[in-house]
Structures are given as structure tokens and as C-alpha cells.
Amino acid sequence: MEQEDLAMDILELEFMRRFIRLCSDGWAQGWHERNGGNLSYRLKSEEAEVCKPFFDASRDWVPLNIQLNALAGEHFLVTGSGKYFRNVELCPASNIGIVEISSSGDAYRIVWGLRNGAAPTSELPTHLMSHAVRKAATEGANRVIYHAHPSAVIAMTYILPLTAGDFSRALWRSATECVMVFPRGVGVVPWMMPGGAEIAKATGELMRTYSAAVWAQHGLFCSGANFDECFGLMHTIEKAADIYLRVLSAGQPILQTVTDDKLRAIAREFGAELNEELL
Ligand code: 2HA
Ligand code: ZN
């Protein structure tokens, strides 16, 4: 069936609209210079079913070079390699696409979008590895993985030791809300070459424990059950990083902070499971 013949427009589906909105919001925040950043969403089976009439199964399978049994047969909406977040809203079918993972979990094919020979994001290995890990860690709840280049988080990676403890404490203390939003803390990946299996494995390893992973001198990877939660996590971490840097830049001695006991009290009050190992 020709796509034009279908009464419904795939772009009107809720997950599609929310995905596109996140791309525009991330661009508006200044986190996506040029083609920086990437986004992926694991479709619910009923969403993949509704989209089936729009799928084109004629494109080739591409090897993933990683084995992802946990994602076999899943569908992901992803941003395109070299594509600009600011253009997604303008022309979704050229800048984003849906990929299907093979039943053997070792290959993908594009079934919608990414027109004119476009390919999925260069960070596809890290996205899929993180999806596999977060899917297991959240008993299937996690569906969104988001990578951006927010300035303050990146700046922090030049002045703090690259450990989960150093980053989590600095961020938690920068704003009271942080401990409620990411009580397990954030992981930190040392500088590595982007786009490959090595950084995918390092990030995936951290995603077993943390909902977010900082990439030194590069950016941040966040996860979430839905677009609001994932974007909100990116936003909260970047805002805390910005406050952290403003405090350091103020040229004044620090007179008070959110102490460990206050962090514990916030976690208790809001029923969050604070990662005590990082205090
Ligand atoms: O250009 O952000 O990490 C996309 C990226 C690579
Ligand atoms: Zn990047």
C-alpha cells in the first residue's frame, strides 16, 4: 500500500510527536550544535503493530557487531547519523527513522524514514546496549535513551576526578531536587572514541547502576521510561552542573551546602533510594 493511501499519518502517532518535540526542545536548550546528540525510543509492541502498514521491509539487514538477544525483534525510532536536531521537526522522514532488530539480535534494518540513504545515529551501539541494560534493570519500563552535549556537564569533566562519587556528590549538592531525580547517582565514562563498541560497553556497564552516564569532554547519556522523564533527567543534571560552575566562578568562599545528612533526609522524605556508596 502506498503511504499516501493511508488515512492515518504515522507522524501523528503520540510517540512520534513526543520524539520530535524532544528534538526541538533539546535544540532550543543549546545542547545540539550542528549534528551533535542522538535519541532513540523502543516502541511498544502495539505501537509497532499500528506502524506496520507504513513499514518497508525491502531494505538490507546491517550487522550490529554486538549481540543483543534481549532486543531481538524490537523496533526503535532513532535519529539519523549526521542529522541535525533542529531539522527533525522540519522533515522527520529524512532525519529520523524506525529500525527493526533481527530475530537473532545481531543485525538491524531500516523499515521507515531515514530517506535518501541516511543511516541510524553513529552512537547506535551505545543506544542499543543501554536499552538492553536499562530494559532489564527496570523490568521493561525504560524506553528512551538520549545523548546530548550540554555545556556545563562537559565543563565539569575538566575539573573533577572522573568518578561516579565525585560527580554525583557535586550534582546532588548543587540543587535540592537532584537527589529525588537521580538518587542512584550518575556514572562517568573516561574519554573514549565515540561511536564504537568499546564506549557502548563502558556506558552499558554503568547503566546497570545509574540512569545517566557522563562522557568525559563529550556529553551526557540519559535514560527514562518516557520522553518527559528522560528529557527531565538531562535538564536537571545540566541545570545542577550549571549551578555548580556558577558557585565555583563566584569568587566567594562556600559558606553552606546540602550536607550528606540533608541528602539522606531528602531521600527519606521522598522515598528515594539514595546510593549511600557514593557519599
Ligand atoms: O554527532 O553526538 O556522539 C552525534 C554525536 C556523537
Ligand atoms: Zn556526542
Side-chain angles (χ1 to χ4, degrees), residues 72-85:
E74 296 262 23
H75 291 81
F76 292 89
L77 178 57
V78 300
T79 49
S81 177
K83 301 299 182 186
Y84 293 29
F85 265 52

Side-chain angles (χ1 to χ4, degrees), residues 31-38 79-83 85 121-123 147-149 194-195 199 215 218 221:
W31 301 338
H32 300 285
E33 76 292 340
R34 204 173 180 275
N35 61 316
N38 22 78
T79 49
S81 177
K83 301 299 182 186
F85 265 52
T121 166
S122 59
E123 303 294 359
H147 168 56
H149 296 170
I199 199 164
W215 278 10
H218 184 144
F221 259 87

Side-chain angles (χ1 to χ4, degrees), residues 61-68 102 105-108 124-125 128-129 195-198 200-201:
W61 290 102
V62 181
L64 279 170
N65 300 323
I66 42 173
Q67 186 63 42
L68 292 164
S102 65
D106 61 356
Y108 76 85
L124 191 66
L128 295 179
M129 193 73 91
E198 193 196 1
K201 284 186 184 128

Side-chain angles (χ1 to χ4, degrees), residues 175-230:
T176 294
E177 201 192 350
C178 287
V179 105
M180 299 171 227
V181 179
F182 48 99
R184 305 306 297 160
V186 299
V188 185
V189 181
W191 189 90
M192 280 188 192
M193 193 57 73
E198 193 196 1
I199 199 164
K201 284 186 184 128
T203 309
E205 200 52 54
L206 293 173
M207 287 281 186
R208 289 181 206 285
T209 309
Y210 311 106
S211 56
V214 175
W215 278 10
Q217 293 88 53
H218 184 144
L220 181 60
F221 259 87
C222 287
S223 64
N226 54 52
F227 294 103
D228 281 346
E229 195 178 285
C230 193

Side-chain angles (χ1 to χ4, degrees), residues 1-8 50-57 111-112:
M1 194 193 300
E2 286 294 314
Q3 295 199 358
E4 286 73 14
D5 295 340
L6 293 165
M8 183 195 68
V50 171
C51 289
K52 285 260 161 75
F54 298 93
F55 287 171
D56 164 11
V111 292
W112 177 84

